[in-house]
């Protein structure tokens, strides 16, 4: 009799444990309340992530998208001329470009696709000059606009932000995001941590390339940078002379521009300093520089 009672109690305990396991299992809870077949987290669809610091125009929602496995970050440098890298660039899952750098007439060298375009507030008027190209033809492009608070402020309706609102009214299909003030401050803090210098006190302006690389490191698992020279390139005696922008031939020389800005006491983009920092980042992240090819140091 005692054996039967002991067996009965054992079976009851096992049943209770099984029920508790089913109820308390985190996987079961996720499936029942948070996951839908074919949506986030399922094998058939990539997981969407929320990127804080990038705020959608006009509703302010944060950027949500899946990570990119392989990204091409395409420099606007004249180094791209004659590179014939267009096919390699378009072959990456995501393609990041900067400001108003065009692809039309340069497809063989820079490709045709633009997944994300990071744009300075000063370049927004240049986008407006070619609205059919930027806002009608480039259907897949997501725009990330950066600038100072007085230009980008939403509550006080900064001048650049007002322009973006009008663009959205005319082209409601567009995806336009702005960097939040917190994200702008974060980018300044990264510069100070890397250089030991306060950006504003040192008379420095961050470049669009700086914001693009920070976004790329958040968004991309592997980054291929096309057409960016190393921090030592312009100090070498035998460096080639190319235009500052591949689409502005015969105008500013790239290295001359870099050196003038690096030495400027006020309002200078520290292009060479930034490239030295990118080189250090490449040691810790999957970043590969090509054409010219150089290793992170």
């Amino acid at each position: 009799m005692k054996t039967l009672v002991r067996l009965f109690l054992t079976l009851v305990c096992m049943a209770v444990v099984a029920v508790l396991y089913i109820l308390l299992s985190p996987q079961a809870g996720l499936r029942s309340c948070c996951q839908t077949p074919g949506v986030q987290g399922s094998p058939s669809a990539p997981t969407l992530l929320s990127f804080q610091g990038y705020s959608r125009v006009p509703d302010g929602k944060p950027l949500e998208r899946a990570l990119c496995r392989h990204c091409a970050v395409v420099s606007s440098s004249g180094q791209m001329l004659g590179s014939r890298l267009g096919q390699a660039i378009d072959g990456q899952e995501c393609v990041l470009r900067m400001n108003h750098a065009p692809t039309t007439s340069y497809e063989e060298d820079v490709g045709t696709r633009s997944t994300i375009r990071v744009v300075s507030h000063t370049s927004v008027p240049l986008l407006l000059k070619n609205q059919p190209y930027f806002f009608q033809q480039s259907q897949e492009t997501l725009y990330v606009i950066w600038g100072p608070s007085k230009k980008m402020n939403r509550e006080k309706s900064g001048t650049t932000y007002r322009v973006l609102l009008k663009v959205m009214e005319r082209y409601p299909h567009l995806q336009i995001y702005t960097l939040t003030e917190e994200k702008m401050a974060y980018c300044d803090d990264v510069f100070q941590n890397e250089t030991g210098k306060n950006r504003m006190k040192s008379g420095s302006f961050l470049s669009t390339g700086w914001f693009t690389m920070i976004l790329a490191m958040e968004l991309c698992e592997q980054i291929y940078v096309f057409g960016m020279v190393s921090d030592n390139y312009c100090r070498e005696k035998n460096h080639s002379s190319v235009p500052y922008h591949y689409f502005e031939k015969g105008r500013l020389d790239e290295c001359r521009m870099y050196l003038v800005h690096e030495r400027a006491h006020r309002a200078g983009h520290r292009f060479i300093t930034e490239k030295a920092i990118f080189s250090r980042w490449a040691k810790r992240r999957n970043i590969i520089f090509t054409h010219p090819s150089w290793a992170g140091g």
Side-chain angles (χ1 to χ4, degrees):
M1 184 67 179
K2 290 182 178 180
T3 302
L4 291 174
V5 171
R6 190 178 297 112
L7 179 61
F8 175 75
L9 291 174
T10 300
L11 292 172
V12 169
C13 287
M14 290 175 64
V16 170
V17 169
V19 170
L20 287 174
Y21 176 81
I22 292 172
L23 291 175
L24 298 178
S25 168
Q27 294 300 322
L30 283 173
R31 279 194 297 269
S32 63
C33 72
C34 301
Q35 288 187 343
T36 305
V39 189
Q40 299 185 34
S42 71
S44 59
T47 301
L48 295 180
L49 300 178
S50 180
F51 294 88
Q52 302 300 317
Y54 304 95
S55 182
R56 191 168 69 183
V57 179
D59 57 26
K61 292 183 178 179
L63 172 62
E64 288 190 349
R65 61 161 296 138
L67 289 175
C68 297
R69 288 165 296 176
H70 299 95
C71 289
V73 172
V74 186
S75 169
S76 302
S77 164
Q79 301 287 340
M80 296 304 299
L81 291 171
S83 68
R84 298 187 177 181
L85 289 167
Q87 189 172 357
I89 290 168
D90 283 344
Q92 305 305 315
E93 182 179 357
C94 297
V95 179
L96 285 72
R97 302 186 191 274
M98 288 167 258
N99 293 321
H100 61 296
T103 58
T104 303
S105 301
Y106 302 96
E107 293 88 348
E108 186 178 13
D109 291 335
V110 304
T112 61
R113 296 180 51 235
S114 301
T115 314
I116 295 175
R117 192 176 282 273
V118 182
V119 181
S120 163
H121 65 102
T122 59
S123 291
V124 170
L126 299 175
L127 300 186
L128 296 175
K129 287 184 178 180
N130 196 357
Q131 295 184 37
Y133 172 75
F134 288 109
F135 301 146
Q136 292 175 0
Q137 297 173 23
S138 302
Q139 294 292 322
E140 76 161 330
T141 305
L142 183 151
Y143 290 88
V144 176
I145 317 295
W146 69 271
S149 177
K150 64 181 180 180
K151 299 286 187 178
M152 308 300 294
N153 190 287
R154 291 169 177 252
E155 286 74 25
K156 297 179 181 179
S157 197
T159 52
T160 301
Y161 186 69
R162 287 202 303 270
V163 171
L164 298 178
L165 287 175
K166 291 180 180 178
V167 170
M168 284 300 301
E169 289 176 4
R170 186 169 183 181
Y171 307 101
H173 67 278
L174 286 180
Q175 300 179 78
I176 300 180
Y177 290 79
T178 62
L179 268 69
T180 64
E181 289 188 40
E182 293 77 14
K183 192 67 173 183
M184 292 292 295
Y186 166 79
C187 291
D188 278 356
D189 289 343
V190 173
F191 180 86
Q192 183 161 340
N193 290 339
E194 292 285 354
T195 63
K197 299 177 181 179
N198 177 277
R199 179 191 67 78
M200 294 185 68
K201 290 181 180 179
S202 65
S204 305
F205 281 144
L206 297 175
S207 73
T208 299
W210 180 265
F211 296 102
T212 304
M213 287 294 286
I214 286 180
L215 173 58
M217 289 194 297
E218 296 170 344
L219 180 67
C220 310
E221 296 177 4
Q222 174 78 62
I223 303 168
Y224 297 93
V225 183
F226 293 86
M228 183 183 291
V229 300
S230 71
D231 58 304
N232 293 318
Y233 180 87
C234 292
R235 296 189 178 100
E236 297 170 356
K237 291 183 179 179
N238 298 320
H239 70 262
S240 61
S241 178
V242 301
Y244 175 55
H245 289 147
Y246 66 80
F247 49 90
E248 294 177 334
K249 302 174 188 177
R251 295 186 65 185
L252 298 170
D253 176 79
E254 178 179 61
C255 280
R256 189 176 300 168
M257 186 76 160
Y258 287 176
L259 292 170
V260 167
H261 271 270
E262 194 70 19
R263 296 164 181 162
H265 295 295
R266 294 181 58 195
H269 287 304
R270 308 309 184 197
F271 294 115
I272 294 174
T273 296
E274 289 183 6
K275 287 166 176 53
I277 295 168
F278 298 161
S279 178
R280 294 199 295 270
W281 289 350
K283 294 182 67 175
R284 308 192 296 267
R285 299 293 302 269
N286 292 325
I287 302 174
I288 296 173
F289 300 95
T290 183
H291 195 79
S293 297
W294 50 283

